[in-house]
Amino acid sequence: MNYASARPRGTDMGANGAQQTFGVHHATEIVRFMRKEPPAHYRIEFESFTSFLSSFPQHLQCIESTEFVVEGNKWILGIHPNDQGHLTLALQLNEPCDRFPINAMCKFFIYNYQSQMYLVVHGSEALHFDDILRVRGIQMLLVSDFTNVSNGFFLNDRCMFGVEVTILGTTAKKTVLRALNIGRDNFKETWEIQNFQELSSESDEVHSHQFNMGGRLWKLVMYPRGCGKNWGKSLALFLVLLDCSDVTDGRKLYVNMEIHLKNLRNEPDITEKIIACYQVSSASWGINLILLRDLHNPEKGFKLDDKLILEIEVKHMYLMDEC
């Protein structure tokens, strides 16, 4: 472990030497739990905590850590050994806050040597930092509970503290999922295929004409002998997005659709429901519809006079995009 140094302070001071206001966080709810993982951003271990405190006058208010950086901001962790009978940990913004206030979710840590886990304490609300209020803290434990060796926070006068800081509202990525207008309640594209036997013998895939749906160009692709693991066993139909400009840079286009193989004897159609996610890497979605032996069986009614009818029905379309 890399040990961080600390320095005593009689008062809470800011980066420019001016005295700063110290605020203990009084959230509507204080959350406490134990976890095994150490703090992600900073920790400090004292090898002789009580002897360190006894070396300084009784009016010692805060022990400050060395400076550390989280998301471009400079911070200091303060340990207040006796804040009205409590051990308090505080986070100090160690630079001017002249651009805008900072709101941060802060988790404070004390290591327990018995359980080999960390006591984690944080408020249910974000801590607010500005030029007036640069130091915010949370009362972690009663001093009597912290210093009681049987509770496990001390081992041979060693103790360890830490903090995690998550800045809110500045670097957070926001994504919006919005419904797209497909022009009607349900969009349908019907494809009647003549001379199926001839087409299937000439090519492994057959393409429909292009059509516009929701302001985008699409086409249907039929695989008369199937695709993938089902090649040579079934017929497949895919809906292909031809213009991928909407799904670059991580954007996604979700399509809720049904693929139909119409029954030409007025029996029930074959219908498969798909929720497809179109991206640059996956601009084609579909399914194996029917086994070839069933397709070519005239009693089934899906191919008559070497003709079959395929249909795609799109119920909803959504674009996931950053904003």
Side-chain angles (χ1 to χ4, degrees):
M1 177 182 295
N2 295 322
Y3 297 105
S5 61
R7 57 180 177 175
R9 277 290 179 91
T11 57
D12 296 308
M13 307 293 288
N16 59 4
Q19 185 169 337
Q20 301 298 318
T21 302
F22 170 64
V24 175
H25 186 50
H26 297 288
T28 54
E29 180 183 0
I30 297 295
V31 181
R32 300 173 184 270
F33 62 94
M34 304 295 292
R35 91 176 197 195
K36 184 176 181 181
E37 296 76 19
H41 295 131
Y42 188 82
R43 54 183 167 171
I44 176 172
E45 183 168 19
F46 291 84
E47 294 185 345
S48 303
F49 187 71
T50 55
S51 60
F52 179 83
L53 293 181
S54 63
S55 301
F56 295 93
Q58 292 299 315
H59 65 265
L60 174 68
Q61 293 184 8
C62 177
I63 306 166
E64 291 185 352
S65 74
T66 53
E67 185 179 85
F68 58 96
V69 177
V70 179
E71 296 192 28
N73 299 110
K74 299 176 182 179
W75 305 92
I76 283 178
L77 177 62
I79 299 96
H80 297 254
N82 194 346
D83 173 32
Q84 298 178 355
H86 291 82
L87 171 75
T88 294
L89 296 185
L91 185 65
Q92 174 180 315
L93 180 63
N94 203 42
E95 61 182 345
C97 189
D98 51 2
R99 291 179 299 164
F100 43 76
I102 294 175
N103 294 304
M105 294 299 295
C106 306
K107 294 179 180 178
F108 296 94
F109 294 71
I110 305 178
Y111 187 64
N112 189 291
Y113 292 91
Q114 287 183 354
S115 64
Q116 298 184 352
M117 299 178 72
Y118 289 86
L119 169 66
V120 186
V121 181
H122 67 89
S124 57
E125 304 164 351
L127 300 182
H128 179 88
F129 297 85
D130 55 31
D131 272 336
I132 301 300
L133 191 59
R134 289 197 201 167
V135 187
R136 301 302 306 272
I138 286 183
Q139 292 178 336
M140 302 288 289
L141 292 168
L142 290 171
V143 173
S144 57
D145 291 336
F146 173 68
T147 56
N148 188 336
V149 177
S150 64
N151 288 331
F153 297 107
F154 273 99
L155 179 65
N156 299 326
D157 207 21
R158 299 164 69 103
C159 57
M160 183 158 51
F161 311 97
V163 66
E164 284 181 355
V165 186
T166 302
I167 308 297
L168 304 181
T170 55
T171 60
K173 181 178 179 179
K174 182 181 179 181
T175 302
V176 174
L177 182 71
R178 67 177 187 271
L180 300 179
N181 183 7
I182 58 176
R184 62 197 82 171
D185 291 340
N186 289 345
F187 179 93
K188 289 184 180 180
E189 179 68 16
T190 303
W191 187 16
E192 184 175 306
I193 300 172
Q194 304 281 354
N195 304 317
F196 174 80
Q197 198 65 37
E198 180 182 346
L199 289 173
S200 61
S201 63
E202 291 178 350
S203 176
D204 288 337
E205 58 185 63
V206 182
H207 297 242
S208 76
H209 66 280
Q210 298 180 10
F211 56 92
N212 187 293
M213 177 178 63
R216 294 154 184 82
L217 282 179
W218 306 79
K219 70 178 178 181
L220 297 174
V221 177
M222 178 187 68
Y223 296 87
R225 289 191 291 270
C227 61
K229 295 180 179 180
N230 286 314
W231 190 90
K233 300 178 182 179
S234 62
L235 177 141
L237 183 67
F238 279 68
L239 176 64
V240 180
L241 175 63
L242 297 177
D243 181 7
C244 292
S245 60
D246 267 350
V247 291
T248 57
D249 302 324
R251 290 178 290 182
K252 299 178 181 181
L253 185 65
Y254 289 92
V255 178
N256 181 355
M257 61 181 170
E258 292 182 357
I259 295 178
H260 307 281
L261 175 60
K262 308 298 285 187
N263 191 287
L264 304 180
R265 292 187 181 275
N266 294 321
E267 297 292 332
D269 300 335
I270 291 178
T271 299
E272 296 289 348
K273 298 180 179 181
I274 299 176
I275 298 179
C277 177
Y278 288 86
Q279 305 176 70
V280 172
S281 59
S282 54
S284 176
W285 281 81
I287 198 166
N288 291 289
L289 274 171
I290 186 173
L291 292 174
L292 292 180
R293 66 172 180 265
D294 293 332
L295 177 66
H296 295 302
N297 184 345
E299 295 183 358
K300 299 289 186 179
F302 295 105
K303 180 170 72 74
L304 289 179
D305 300 325
D306 208 26
K307 179 183 80 171
L308 55 86
I309 299 176
L310 296 164
E311 185 177 79
I312 184 101
E313 181 179 2
V314 175
K315 298 182 177 295
H316 304 283
M317 192 157 55
Y318 301 89
L319 180 65
M320 182 177 287
D321 193 6
E322 293 182 22
C323 65

